[in-house]
Amino acid sequence: DVKVTQSSRYLVKRTGEKVFLECVQDMDHENMFWYRQDPGLGLRLIYFSYDVKMKEKGDIPEGYSVSREKKERFSLILESASTNQTSMYLCASSLIRGIPTYGYTFGSGTRLTVV
Amino acid sequence: ILNVEQSPQSLHVQEGDSTNFTCSFPSSNFYALHWYRWETAKSPEALFVMTLNGDEKKKGRISATLNTKEGYSYLYIKGSQPEDSATYLCAFPTNAGGTSYGKLTFGQGTILTVHP
């Protein structure tokens, strides 16, 4: 089974801190994604990557950056954490580029609280 | 941003009831429609990926139908059990047909609670 592993399940950070959320997948998937989930809003795409060192902005990239130095690892960076970034963050991967006729594989999520 | 709408937002049913909910999506340029189940404290899990108009897929007591011409999909659960309690998400490819990189736009989800 493909696994997507997120480094932390729960995280509490202070306003202004730089925060790194790590995601690793073990099945050579090309695409990796970062979403955040907030009540009533569903999953919203922050950034995604379709190849090593490649990144594309999603729908809500402001305040975030990403890094993909190796195919299996996709990091989300909060440059200066703010309270409105308190959320559940989900990493996902998918097999190939193009029309997604395969389902995503998700990590178990990181619940980040910024105080 | 695509509009992918799910209804209802939440649903409470008794054990043994059958239930269904809806996902609406743009009917033009259809390529695929995904359904996921997200149980508390677990990862979202892919249930179905549907690609053809009239498609019906089944997994145990859960089934889904697809109407691409009118832009909706139904998810049915027969004889609901407490372990079916979860958030059910549908998703639709974003910018499909152009330079698509497999991005999905998700609906806001339907939260199902099955009471024993």
Side-chain angles (χ1 to χ4, degrees):
Chain A
D1 274 355
V2 177
K3 282 198 180 143
V4 176
T5 304
Q6 293 184 231
S7 53
S8 304
R9 184 85 176 117
Y10 298 96
L11 215 49
V12 179
K13 295 291 181 181
R14 294 196 178 277
T15 302
E17 276 192 74
K18 192 168 185 175
V19 181
F20 294 85
L21 302 183
E22 306 287 346
C23 175
V24 177
Q25 51 98 359
D26 66 0
M27 202 67 172
D28 207 35
H29 279 186
E30 291 192 6
N31 291 345
M32 295 188 76
F33 308 86
W34 277 106
Y35 284 85
R36 64 179 279 179
Q37 195 262 348
D38 300 288
L41 295 178
L43 296 180
R44 293 181 292 164
L45 182 63
I46 304 170
Y47 266 98
F48 70 102
S49 168
Y50 55 89
D51 204 347
V52 175
K53 296 193 187 295
M54 306 303 288
K55 60 185 179 184
E56 293 280 341
K57 292 179 181 179
D59 299 319
I60 51 165
E62 297 78 19
Y64 303 94
S65 61
V66 289
S67 171
R68 194 169 180 197
E69 296 296 318
K70 294 185 178 181
K71 192 172 186 179
E72 67 270 18
R73 186 181 294 270
F74 191 36
S75 303
L76 179 70
I77 304 155
L78 285 66
E79 299 290 344
S80 177
S82 64
T83 54
N84 63 13
Q85 292 177 310
T86 292
S87 188
M88 168 69 86
Y89 290 87
L90 279 166
C91 176
S93 71
S94 68
L95 182 60
I96 54 173
R97 299 185 209 179
I99 306 302
T101 53
Y102 295 90
Y104 281 10
T105 302
F106 280 91
S108 53
T110 296
R111 182 158 304 275
L112 173 68
T113 302
V114 182
V115 298
Chain B
I1 297 178
L2 287 175
N3 262 348
V4 181
E5 300 285 341
Q6 290 188 247
S7 63
Q9 283 198 1
S10 65
L11 199 51
H12 290 257
V13 301
Q14 292 296 127
E15 182 174 355
D17 287 350
S18 293
T19 187
N20 66 85
F21 22 94
T22 308
C23 174
S24 302
F25 51 85
S27 56
S28 57
N29 296 323
F30 177 84
Y31 292 91
L33 191 282
H34 291 219
W35 280 103
Y36 292 83
R37 174 172 60 198
W38 190 6
E39 297 175 70
T40 303
K42 294 187 177 179
S43 311
E45 168 200 11
L47 286 172
F48 306 114
V49 179
M50 309 180 80
T51 55
L52 296 175
N53 185 41
D55 230 359
E56 282 193 42
K57 297 220 172 189
K58 192 172 179 181
K59 187 175 182 176
R61 293 179 291 98
I62 304 176
S63 59
T65 61
L66 179 68
N67 183 323
T68 62
K69 296 190 188 309
E70 295 182 38
Y72 64 83
S73 175
Y74 291 139
L75 191 80
Y76 299 92
I77 302 178
K78 186 177 176 182
S80 303
Q81 299 297 309
E83 58 264 31
D84 296 326
S85 297
T87 299
Y88 291 83
L89 297 162
C90 69
F92 188 80
T94 308
N95 295 330
T99 320
S100 170
Y101 296 108
K103 295 185 295 179
L104 291 174
T105 294
F106 285 81
Q108 75 273 36
T110 293
I111 302 170
L112 174 67
T113 304
V114 182
H115 299 279

